[in-house]
Amino acid sequence: QVQFVESGGGLVQPGGSLKLSCAVYGSIFNIYTLGWYRQTPGKQREWVSTIFGGGATDYAASVRGRFTISRDNAEKMVYLQMNDLKPEDTATYYCYLEMGTRYWGQGTQVTVSS
């Protein structure tokens, strides 16, 4: 089926940057929708960003202008460049692939703290 390897999370100070990466295995990659959600303990998973098969993108209002989603179809990767990070961005970030059903990565922790 579909498997993911996420990386790039970590601890960063407010105002800093991180780039999350998600490698996708086992799917026909380039025609499907990919994206990112995030979740903090005790809260529902929150949508962050989506990139469609044709390359169009969409962002949650809370991250628009600070985060950039991209994909590399040849390498079967999806990325999330996060700039000007805020403490409220602290969460576990999950990549996903939409292929009739939704498949999820294992998550990578992002902590924004001074």
Side-chain angles (χ1 to χ4, degrees), residues 79-91:
Y79 304 98
L80 188 68
Q81 176 67 47
M82 305 185 295
N83 298 328
D84 189 23
L85 283 160
K86 306 176 186 300
E88 52 264 40
D89 295 317
T90 296

Side-chain angles (χ1 to χ4, degrees), residues 29-57:
F29 180 88
N30 56 314
I31 62 173
Y32 293 110
T33 296
L34 295 148
W36 297 88
Y37 274 69
R38 64 188 181 187
Q39 189 171 24
T40 54
K43 293 188 178 181
Q44 286 191 331
R45 199 167 286 189
E46 174 192 18
W47 171 70
V48 175
S49 182
T50 296
I51 184 164
F52 299 93
T57 59

Side-chain angles (χ1 to χ4, degrees), residues 4 7 10 16 37 51-53 58 60 66 70 76 85 92 94 97 107:
F4 303 84
S7 60
Y37 274 69
I51 184 164
F52 299 93
D58 199 7
R66 299 188 297 122
S70 60
K76 295 191 175 183
L85 283 160
T92 301
Y94 299 88
L97 180 145

Side-chain angles (χ1 to χ4, degrees), residues 57-75:
T57 59
D58 199 7
Y59 298 93
S62 59
V63 306
R64 190 173 294 121
R66 299 188 297 122
F67 291 11
T68 303
I69 190 171
S70 60
R71 63 194 291 164
D72 183 330
N73 291 337
E75 296 296 325

